[in-house]
Structure formats: C-alpha cells, structure tokens
Amino acid sequence: LGVDYTTYHEQWLSEGFASFAGLWYLQTSRNDNRKYFAMLERWQADIMNRRQDPAPVWLGWRNSSGLDEAGYGVIVYYKGAWALHMLRIMMLDLKTMNEDRFTSMMRDFYQTYQGKRASTEDFRRIAEKHVGADLGWFFDQWIYGSDLPSYRVSYQTAPAENGQYRIKLQVRQDNVSDDFQMYVPVTLDLGNDRIARLRVKVRGPRSEIDLPLMPAKPREVRFNDLHGVLAEVKMVDWKD
C-alpha cells in the first residue's frame, strides 16, 4: 500500500488495510455488494469463534502461537479490515449514501505517510480530522481492546399525530464493559419503496431509544444494517 508500520503493534496498518482494500476494490470494481458483505460475514464468523480467547489487534504477530497459528490472520488481517469497514459506515452519509469523507480520509493517510512509517495513533489523527470528533473510544475498543458486543434488540410502534408513527428501540448490550459504545445504523422499511436510515448511539447494558417520527408504520426494522458494527445481533420480544 506504500505505507509501512512503525512496530509489530502496528502491523494491522499494512495487513488489515490490505485485506480491506482488496474487499473494497472487489465491491467497487464489480459493483457487487453481496460478495463484499458475504466476505465480511465469513471474517466475522472466524473472529467470533475466537471469542473465548480474546486478543486485541494491537498485539500484532503476538496473536499467533504454536497452539493458534491462525490467530494472527484472524485478528490482524480480518479484525483490522473490519475496523476500517466500521469507520467507513460511521462516516457514511446515510441520507445520500455518499462516502466522500471516508475516501478522503484513506487518501489523506496514504498521501501523508507514503514511503514512511506510520503508527495507529498517526492513523487515528487522520481519521479524527475527517470525522471531526475524538475517536479515542473507537480505537480503545477495536484496536487496543478485545471486547465483541452482542445486541438483543426489540422495538415497539404506536400511532402518533398526523398519521405518523412512534418507534422505540430496546437494546440490550452484552459481553462488553458498561461504557462500551457504538453508533449503530438502523434501517426502517416504510413500504412503497420508502426507506429511512439513521444511527443510534448504544452505550451501557440496556438502552431505550426513541426514533424520529415516521410517516408510516415500519414493515421491518433492520438493526445494525450494513454490518455497521462487528457484533452478534438477535431480534427478541420486548421486555418491560
């Protein structure tokens, strides 16, 4: 990719970036979202299979051992690529599906460090410039940490004024620390080819989130659409 890494801790900046770049190219060159998401799902399955032996991306080659030679590839290549995908979805304009911010970030990182060595913190600074916000929490969770969230999601709908509908989400977040947070994309199918896309912030073991009023009762609510978070998701019944 033209950018080297400073120490073994930063190997994901080469290997994870290469894995993501290949997948991104496959999606754009063939205009094939299905294969892109299918590969992410395969990588997710491998990552989740290691849940009982957690390790952070930042460990680099130390994720591999005589007892687990595949650990390096799964964590550094696959989870590193997943971290980039999550940043991509976080930076996506859900109204227009424009991803100029993410593309500009990747170009900026390459141009800034081409022929040089970069660290995770170097990439974080570039990402924060294009996001316009602190991303320490994101890198702490996904690069320096090893938690993998599980979401149990339910929703309720109720009629509102002027033919609109209220939708409330109930989200239970497990297998992570109480301060673990993510911005999760949610898509609502409103029928008649109408789609509403938005993000919700999930933090803590249990959240109840009121969505903006919708012009119709949703036929379907897709939580964590676009595979926005590396997480297990299950739709369940509402619990008071």
Side-chain angles (χ1 to χ4, degrees), residues 97-156:
M97 302 304 282
N98 180 287
E99 56 180 348
D100 286 350
R101 284 199 302 168
F102 179 77
T103 302
S104 296
M105 176 196 71
M106 297 294 281
R107 184 181 298 114
D108 189 2
F109 180 64
Y110 176 78
Q111 292 175 345
T112 301
Y113 292 99
Q114 184 180 11
K116 303 175 184 177
R117 296 179 182 271
S119 69
T120 296
E121 290 304 301
D122 292 329
F123 177 61
R124 172 186 162 183
R125 283 189 287 271
I126 295 289
E128 289 178 340
K129 181 172 75 172
H130 291 269
V131 170
D134 175 72
L135 289 174
W137 60 272
F138 180 90
F139 284 82
D140 285 345
Q141 292 174 176
W142 296 108
I143 304 302
Y144 303 120
S146 56
D147 284 354
L148 297 169
S150 293
Y151 298 124
R152 300 294 179 264
V153 185
S154 56
Y155 69 93
Q156 288 182 335

Side-chain angles (χ1 to χ4, degrees), residues 36-99:
Y36 176 88
F37 288 111
M39 185 60 72
L40 281 176
E41 289 172 359
R42 287 178 56 186
W43 292 349
Q44 175 173 334
D46 288 338
I47 295 166
M48 292 297 180
N49 284 339
R50 290 181 50 81
R51 181 172 248 164
Q52 301 306 314
D53 185 23
V57 172
W58 195 64
L59 272 183
W61 60 261
R62 290 194 176 186
N63 281 295
S64 181
S65 69
L67 298 177
D68 183 17
E69 295 181 359
Y72 172 73
V74 170
I75 300 301
V76 175
Y77 282 74
Y78 297 171
K79 192 178 178 186
W82 252 99
L84 288 174
H85 167 75
M86 288 188 285
L87 281 173
R88 181 187 185 187
I89 300 304
M90 281 177 53
M91 299 173 75
L92 180 67
D93 185 329
L94 292 178
K95 292 183 178 179
T96 64
M97 302 304 282
N98 180 287
E99 56 180 348

Side-chain angles (χ1 to χ4, degrees), residues 1 14-24 43 73 76-78 80-81 84:
L1 291 177
S14 175
E15 317 302 6
F17 271 58
S19 296
F20 175 80
L23 194 56
W24 193 14
W43 292 349
V76 175
Y77 282 74
Y78 297 171
L84 288 174

Side-chain angles (χ1 to χ4, degrees), residues 188-203:
L188 295 89
D189 181 352
L190 302 175
N192 299 320
D193 296 321
R194 292 176 297 174
I195 296 291
R197 293 186 175 93
L198 48 90
R199 288 184 183 86
V200 296
K201 182 178 180 179
V202 176
R203 179 179 176 135

